[in-house]
Amino acid sequence: MRRVLILLLIAAAALAQQNPAAQAARQWREAHEGAIVREFVDLLALPNLARDADAVRKNADAIVALLAKRGIAARLLEVPDAPPVVYGEIRTPGATRTLIFYAHYDGQPLDPKEWLTPPWQPTLRDGPLDRDGRAIPLPGSGPFNGEWRIYGRSASDDKAPIVAMAAALDALKNSGVALHSNIKFVFEGEEEAGSPHLGRILAAYKDLLASDLWLICDGPVHQSRRQQIVFGARGIATVDITVYGPRRELHSGHYGNWAPNPAMMLARLLASMKGDDGTVLVDHFYDGIEPLSDTERRALADAPDVEADLKRELWLGRTEGAGKRLEELITRPSLNVRGMASARTGSGASNVIPSTATATIDMRLVKGIDHDVAARRLIDHIRRQGYFIVEADPNADTLRSHARVAKVVVEPSGYNAARTSMDLPVSRLVIQTVESARGKPVLLPTSGGSVPLYVIEEIMHAPTISVPIANHDNNQHSFNENLRVQNLWDGIELMAALLSM
Amino acid sequence: MRRVLILLLIAAAALAQQNPAAQAARQWREAHEGAIVREFVDLLALPNLARDADAVRKNADAIVALLAKRGIAARLLEVPDAPPVVYGEIRTPGATRTLIFYAHYDGQPLDPKEWLTPPWQPTLRDGPLDRDGRAIPLPGSGPFNGEWRIYGRSASDDKAPIVAMAAALDALKNSGVALHSNIKFVFEGEEEAGSPHLGRILAAYKDLLASDLWLICDGPVHQSRRQQIVFGARGIATVDITVYGPRRELHSGHYGNWAPNPAMMLARLLASMKGDDGTVLVDHFYDGIEPLSDTERRALADAPDVEADLKRELWLGRTEGAGKRLEELITRPSLNVRGMASARTGSGASNVIPSTATATIDMRLVKGIDHDVAARRLIDHIRRQGYFIVEADPNADTLRSHARVAKVVVEPSGYNAARTSMDLPVSRLVIQTVESARGKPVLLPTSGGSVPLYVIEEIMHAPTISVPIANHDNNQHSFNENLRVQNLWDGIELMAALLSM
């Protein structure tokens, strides 16, 4: 068994050697590790929250300069009140195919206090923090250990692909490997804010952004560390819920048993939404799901089983979903509590009945479930639990005249799921190219995460396929986000192969 | 009906005039309002969290000086690692009765960010904040409007009685109203921390603190603004609960549906503890309750009905307890969520599955339920919901090998309820004295709040009776704590009457 595995690995490695662009990328990278990482950390040092217009523009300007350095005429695509999209293109004489490489340069909101090193002071560590990785000085040149990690906001989500593409372009140019497609780059600046203006930008620049395929360079590789290709993404609807107790915090002794406690009300409300096995109990929650194709089912069955490893890594004694595997569970919609707050806890607690309690919920949606419909179903559920629903802070009369009041705010950033068939010719080409560069990939019908692929498909009528490069254990969307150095190296080879496809 | 009410009020006022000590106190106060308030705000300006040893000692020293100014030899009673008790005494020749006047000078923990004005910068306002009371300069002399409020930590809980006693002593001395009892003052410095050392201090100074009655000057008057006398206090057990999801926050898309969400787990756990009508569902929660006496039942029935007013004031559309009145509900044990936290919410939320979720719960207990037993019943309940219980942060092995792990920490500050019979001779004397000074009082078998009366009764074998002076809407234990000026004036008269009893 082990011998078969080794033979398979050798065969896969040999196959990888077959892709000349990937080979060229590796040689180039080995000779330029210091410079590549330097370009990366310079980009990571720029604060990049979508709501900070000035900061976002500095990022966009830096990426324009990064493309210009490769001889690519880059520009900003703008609509009012939105972070700019950085756009660049390479026209390839005789090419009949146009590929768009998409990534985003903005990062998730954060609380700096939670970070061990400041989020925009990129730090190299000799391993992951949860295995005591120590900060080490950035070497001027290679070789870098592939297990080192680079910590900083957007190290993995999603500045790494931008730098990987830049290095891949350098490698291709210097080794003389030819391109076969027209290439366009689209780097978005508000993906983590839910891409509220992407549709408008696509509509405004529809001709400029025509293509045969969008390659979405975002997200992590498989937990087995194998390259994966992901043919869709879940949609999303985010809802903030606030429930109300007494107008002001009350002494829990003098009023305990009498004044309703909003923390307990919220607990009961949340508990009503999900069964102990993870089944969502909101009426019609699963209605309309578009079934998987045979190819998609086969791909799921072929994906490596990482359940035991993941549970060990994440210190989990169980999972939801009645024993179904992660890959399968993310093809279903989910309901998740992002966070929950009411008064104070622990040593900061005071003995009060809180005045309000709040939770933020996200629902990850699959093809066949509209995000507005999903939000409406949740609101209906809250109403069925006895709540009078308001959309803004309720006044005294509203609170006095209803037994239970919930403020429910659906964030405007929701969008639908998307899924590209694995059976399209362009899908097969991508699978073949990735396999020749990085060995047999894991094929997933959808990512668990959400990227606004739906907007792209609907407006541009072009399919999307995701080719992520980050390590799965990257703390994406949390504090101490990081990129494993080997994933950057592998990403450069992957990008070189796809660029020359 | 109205005429009868007016006659009753006149009769009550006339009765109040019958108490010469209260009369003397009113005259003195009217002539010295500026000086009394100045002494009060000076005391409020001293930060007074029990955990801040230096600050607490400054308070104790200031109170020693305050007593010394009245010619009372005051001293600090100390045991190691505890805030000192300020002790003072007045020996009255020929007295056969000794009364202890208890108050506490420490304040509830707080978050200064929540306060409109800094908690230890006492501020006079021309009304309550929730009716747009504006800050006004402190006049050098009276008259003060009784509806003005003084904002600051411990304005109501519990420095007001200390200053009221001081002013009452001045009034008695200057008017020549005689004392009839020996008087002892006991001012505690860690009541808000659960009085962890009070038992040890009482034991160490048992002879010094011998008395026939402890008068507990803490808490608010009735919501009708009538004086109340409270013959007991609920006990308390406080429990911190933390439940665990993945070791680190995970992307809610990539792992949503698969990794258990601790916020949702905590919501389910809390929801299992209490029914929608407020009934606690913890097994045996109500077992052992000592029933009320006939006198106590009558007192409850006689208490003014403030339900409608309170609901309007607190913007409540309903109450718990199946329509039972507040006065009755607080004679039952309660379970309250003080606060709840998991990851972040609202604009600060990120799309993660949180790693942990925490709640702090307090249980208010009545006679017949031991606080340790109550905590054990709650722990048993958590275990029955499928949780493996730990008392310290669980390690990887513990988390990996159990489906559900809860860290449950019972705070060491719990204590039992106490209740003094309303039928004791000394109880009747207090009722009569209060009535002669302040009109017909509301009599309650127990406060909803907790004061360590149990410790006093058990160690000192003396009964306790609570004679609170603060307004009920004082934001006690929360931010923007305040005292209504009229309550300070009334409190001075009350203290004068009790001191000369």
Side-chain angles (χ1 to χ4, degrees):
Chain A
M1 180 65 201
R2 169 168 287 190
R3 183 168 298 177
V4 173
L5 189 68
I6 291 169
L7 287 173
L8 276 174
L9 284 173
I10 291 170
L15 199 63
Q17 297 306 320
Q18 287 171 5
N19 188 299
Q23 279 177 306
R26 181 170 301 185
Q27 281 161 19
W28 173 265
R29 180 267 296 174
E30 284 172 351
H32 299 86
E33 292 187 355
I36 295 167
V37 171
R38 169 51 53 200
E39 189 163 35
F40 187 37
V41 299
D42 285 350
L43 189 57
L44 292 182
L46 303 175
N48 63 339
L49 298 188
R51 63 169 177 257
D52 183 350
D54 287 348
V56 147
R57 197 156 287 271
K58 284 198 186 106
N59 282 266
D61 292 343
I63 296 168
V64 165
L66 176 146
L67 290 175
K69 199 174 145 192
R70 274 80 194 182
I72 297 166
R75 49 183 280 213
L76 303 183
L77 309 187
E78 309 223 31
V79 297
D81 305 321
V85 159
V86 179
Y87 174 78
E89 64 172 61
I90 305 173
R91 296 191 186 202
T92 303
T96 57
R97 189 169 45 224
T98 300
L99 306 174
I100 291 189
F101 285 75
Y102 166 96
H104 66 88
Y105 63 82
D106 66 310
Q108 268 279 318
L110 53 79
D111 178 355
K113 288 194 299 289
E114 295 182 320
W115 288 64
L116 202 72
T117 45
W120 290 289
Q121 270 177 33
T123 308
L124 184 66
R125 293 187 178 273
D126 65 3
L129 266 175
D130 55 13
R131 261 167 278 153
D132 301 322
R134 289 164 313 166
I136 52 176
L138 201 62
S141 64
F144 282 63
N145 185 320
E147 295 305 326
W148 290 352
R149 304 252 177 152
I150 297 161
Y151 279 78
R153 175 49 93 216
S154 298
S156 57
D157 180 22
D158 183 40
K159 286 179 170 175
I162 298 173
V163 171
M165 288 174 212
L169 286 169
D170 290 338
L172 293 174
K173 192 172 187 180
N174 279 277
S175 62
V177 174
L179 303 190
H180 301 93
S181 307
N182 295 313
I183 304 293
K184 296 178 177 178
F185 298 98
V186 170
F187 300 137
E188 195 191 355
E190 55 175 357
E191 196 268 345
E192 298 295 2
S195 304
H197 301 90
L198 185 60
R200 227 178 299 165
I201 293 175
L202 295 180
Y205 296 93
K206 197 162 177 179
D207 293 339
L208 186 71
L209 298 177
S211 80
D212 299 288
L213 176 66
W214 284 64
L215 285 161
I216 308 297
C217 308
D218 194 7
V221 301
H222 193 259
Q223 289 87 352
S224 63
R225 301 221 187 276
R226 268 169 62 188
Q227 182 60 49
Q228 68 185 3
I229 310 178
V230 187
F231 289 83
R234 289 203 276 193
I236 190 163
T238 307
V239 178
D240 291 298
I241 302 172
T242 304
V243 301
Y244 299 85
R247 179 190 187 184
R248 60 172 191 271
E249 292 182 354
L250 294 178
H251 188 292
S252 67
H254 298 313
Y255 297 92
N257 260 18
W258 182 84
N261 183 311
M264 186 58 92
M265 290 165 69
L266 183 66
R268 296 182 58 78
L269 180 59
L270 295 176
S272 74
M273 295 178 187
K274 216 167 168 179
D276 195 45
D277 62 349
T279 307
V280 178
L281 304 176
V282 172
D283 271 5
H284 306 294
F285 186 78
Y286 297 102
D287 287 4
I289 296 174
E290 199 170 283
L292 298 179
S293 71
D294 289 346
T295 311
E296 289 167 333
R297 283 185 193 288
R298 263 200 311 278
L300 281 183
D302 284 350
D305 183 349
V306 290
E307 298 288 304
D309 284 351
L310 261 188
K311 283 170 71 179
R312 188 163 51 243
E313 177 187 325
L314 297 171
W315 297 7
L316 289 177
R318 67 167 179 130
T319 56
E320 294 188 344
K324 290 206 184 77
R325 282 171 50 187
L326 175 59
E327 292 81 6
E328 184 173 351
L329 289 171
I330 57 172
T331 68
R332 307 270 297 165
S334 71
L335 184 150
N336 173 66
V337 182
R338 288 185 174 187
M340 189 163 80
S342 185
R344 300 152 299 279
T345 62
S347 62
S350 29
N351 46 8
V352 295
I353 301 169
S355 180
T356 63
T358 300
T360 298
I361 285 179
D362 64 42
M363 292 178 284
R364 302 285 175 168
L365 307 169
V366 300
K367 268 204 111 163
I369 301 183
D370 180 81
H371 65 100
D372 283 329
V373 173
R376 205 161 54 235
R377 288 170 179 170
L378 183 62
I379 292 170
D380 286 345
H381 175 87
I382 297 170
R383 195 175 283 118
R384 269 195 300 276
Q385 308 310 306
Y387 282 88
F388 179 77
I389 310 280
V390 293
E391 289 174 8
D393 290 341
N395 62 20
D397 282 348
T398 302
L399 289 166
R400 285 178 186 137
S401 56
H402 296 93
R404 289 168 190 78
V405 176
K407 181 176 75 171
V408 183
V409 178
V410 181
E411 293 187 9
S413 53
Y415 50 80
N416 287 354
R419 206 160 77 228
T420 296
S421 166
M422 292 181 182
D423 299 318
L424 296 182
V426 75
S427 299
R428 292 191 179 138
L429 174 65
V430 169
I431 295 171
Q432 199 175 17
T433 304
V434 171
E435 183 159 355
S436 71
R438 301 267 310 112
K440 192 165 173 54
V442 178
L443 306 181
L444 293 182
T446 183
S447 159
S450 306
V451 240
L453 306 180
Y454 169 79
V455 181
I456 297 171
E457 291 191 358
E458 189 168 70
I459 298 174
M460 307 307 295
H461 304 294
T464 63
I465 296 176
S466 293
V467 281
I469 69 171
N471 39 302
H472 73 284
D473 55 349
N474 64 37
N475 267 30
Q476 183 185 1
H477 289 207
S478 182
F479 48 89
N480 297 333
E481 179 179 347
N482 65 86
L483 186 77
R484 179 172 162 263
V485 166
Q486 187 61 43
N487 282 69
L488 183 57
W489 299 166
D490 294 345
I492 296 170
E493 294 176 30
L494 178 72
M495 290 302 145
L498 292 167
L499 283 165
S500 70
M501 172 173 88
Chain B
M1 183 62 201
R2 169 167 288 188
R3 184 168 296 176
V4 174
L5 190 67
I6 291 170
L7 287 173
L8 277 174
L9 284 173
I10 291 170
L15 199 61
Q17 297 305 321
Q18 287 172 3
N19 188 299
Q23 279 176 306
R26 181 170 302 184
Q27 281 160 18
W28 174 266
R29 180 266 296 175
E30 284 171 351
H32 298 86
E33 293 188 355
I36 294 168
V37 171
R38 168 53 53 201
E39 188 163 36
F40 187 36
V41 299
D42 285 350
L43 189 57
L44 293 182
L46 301 175
N48 62 337
L49 298 188
R51 62 170 178 258
D52 182 351
D54 288 348
V56 148
R57 197 157 287 270
K58 283 197 187 105
N59 281 266
D61 292 343
I63 295 167
V64 166
L66 176 146
L67 290 175
K69 200 174 146 193
R70 274 83 196 179
I72 298 166
R75 49 182 280 216
L76 303 183
L77 309 188
E78 309 222 31
V79 300
D81 305 321
V85 159
V86 179
Y87 173 79
E89 64 173 61
I90 306 174
R91 295 190 188 202
T92 303
T96 57
R97 187 168 48 223
T98 300
L99 305 174
I100 292 191
F101 285 74
Y102 165 95
H104 66 88
Y105 63 82
D106 66 312
Q108 268 280 315
L110 53 80
D111 178 355
K113 288 194 298 291
E114 296 181 318
W115 287 65
L116 201 71
T117 45
W120 290 290
Q121 270 176 32
T123 308
L124 184 67
R125 293 186 179 272
D126 64 3
L129 265 176
D130 55 13
R131 261 168 278 154
D132 301 322
R134 288 163 313 165
I136 51 177
L138 201 62
S141 64
F144 282 61
N145 185 321
E147 295 306 325
W148 290 352
R149 304 251 176 151
I150 297 161
Y151 279 79
R153 175 51 92 218
S154 298
S156 57
D157 180 21
D158 185 37
K159 286 179 170 175
I162 299 173
V163 171
M165 287 175 214
L169 287 170
D170 290 338
L172 294 173
K173 192 170 187 182
N174 280 277
S175 63
V177 174
L179 302 189
H180 302 92
S181 307
N182 295 313
I183 305 292
K184 296 179 178 178
F185 298 99
V186 169
F187 300 138
E188 194 192 355
E190 54 175 358
E191 195 269 346
E192 298 296 2
S195 303
H197 301 89
L198 184 61
R200 229 178 300 163
I201 293 175
L202 294 181
Y205 297 92
K206 200 162 175 178
D207 293 339
L208 186 70
L209 298 177
S211 78
D212 299 288
L213 175 67
W214 284 63
L215 285 161
I216 309 297
C217 308
D218 194 8
V221 301
H222 194 259
Q223 289 87 355
S224 63
R225 299 220 186 281
R226 269 171 62 189
Q227 182 61 50
Q228 68 185 2
I229 308 177
V230 188
F231 290 82
R234 290 203 275 194
I236 189 163
T238 306
V239 178
D240 291 297
I241 302 172
T242 304
V243 302
Y244 298 85
R247 179 190 186 184
R248 60 171 190 273
E249 292 184 354
L250 294 178
H251 188 291
S252 66
H254 299 314
Y255 297 92
N257 261 20
W258 181 85
N261 182 312
M264 186 58 92
M265 290 163 70
L266 183 65
R268 294 181 59 78
L269 180 59
L270 295 176
S272 75
M273 295 177 185
K274 214 166 170 181
D276 194 44
D277 63 349
T279 307
V280 178
L281 304 175
V282 172
D283 271 4
H284 306 294
F285 187 77
Y286 298 101
D287 286 4
I289 297 174
E290 199 170 282
L292 298 179
S293 71
D294 289 344
T295 312
E296 289 167 332
R297 283 186 195 286
R298 261 200 313 278
L300 281 183
D302 285 349
D305 183 348
V306 290
E307 297 290 301
D309 283 351
L310 260 188
K311 284 170 70 178
R312 189 165 50 242
E313 177 188 326
L314 298 171
W315 298 7
L316 288 176
R318 67 170 178 128
T319 55
E320 294 187 345
K324 290 207 184 74
R325 280 170 51 184
L326 174 60
E327 291 81 6
E328 183 173 352
L329 289 172
I330 58 173
T331 67
R332 307 270 296 166
S334 71
L335 182 150
N336 173 65
V337 182
R338 288 185 173 186
M340 189 164 80
S342 184
R344 299 154 299 279
T345 60
S347 62
S350 30
N351 46 8
V352 295
I353 300 168
S355 180
T356 63
T358 300
T360 299
I361 284 178
D362 64 42
M363 291 178 284
R364 302 284 175 168
L365 307 169
V366 298
K367 268 205 111 163
I369 302 183
D370 181 81
H371 66 100
D372 283 328
V373 172
R376 203 161 57 238
R377 287 169 179 170
L378 183 63
I379 292 170
D380 287 344
H381 176 87
I382 298 170
R383 194 176 284 117
R384 270 195 300 276
Q385 309 308 308
Y387 282 88
F388 180 76
I389 310 281
V390 294
E391 288 173 11
D393 291 341
N395 63 18
D397 282 347
T398 302
L399 289 167
R400 285 179 186 135
S401 55
H402 297 92
R404 288 168 191 77
V405 176
K407 181 175 76 170
V408 182
V409 178
V410 180
E411 293 186 11
S413 53
Y415 51 80
N416 287 354
R419 206 160 77 225
T420 295
S421 167
M422 292 181 184
D423 299 317
L424 297 184
V426 74
S427 301
R428 291 194 181 135
L429 174 63
V430 169
I431 295 171
Q432 199 174 18
T433 303
V434 171
E435 185 160 351
S436 70
R438 302 267 311 113
K440 192 165 173 54
V442 178
L443 307 181
L444 294 182
T446 182
S447 160
S450 307
V451 241
L453 307 181
Y454 169 80
V455 181
I456 296 171
E457 291 191 359
E458 189 167 70
I459 299 174
M460 306 308 295
H461 305 293
T464 63
I465 296 177
S466 293
V467 281
I469 69 170
N471 41 301
H472 74 284
D473 54 349
N474 64 36
N475 268 28
Q476 183 185 3
H477 288 207
S478 182
F479 47 90
N480 297 334
E481 178 179 348
N482 65 86
L483 185 77
R484 179 170 161 264
V485 166
Q486 186 61 44
N487 282 69
L488 182 57
W489 298 166
D490 294 345
I492 296 170
E493 294 175 31
L494 179 71
M495 290 302 145
L498 292 167
L499 284 164
S500 70
M501 172 172 89

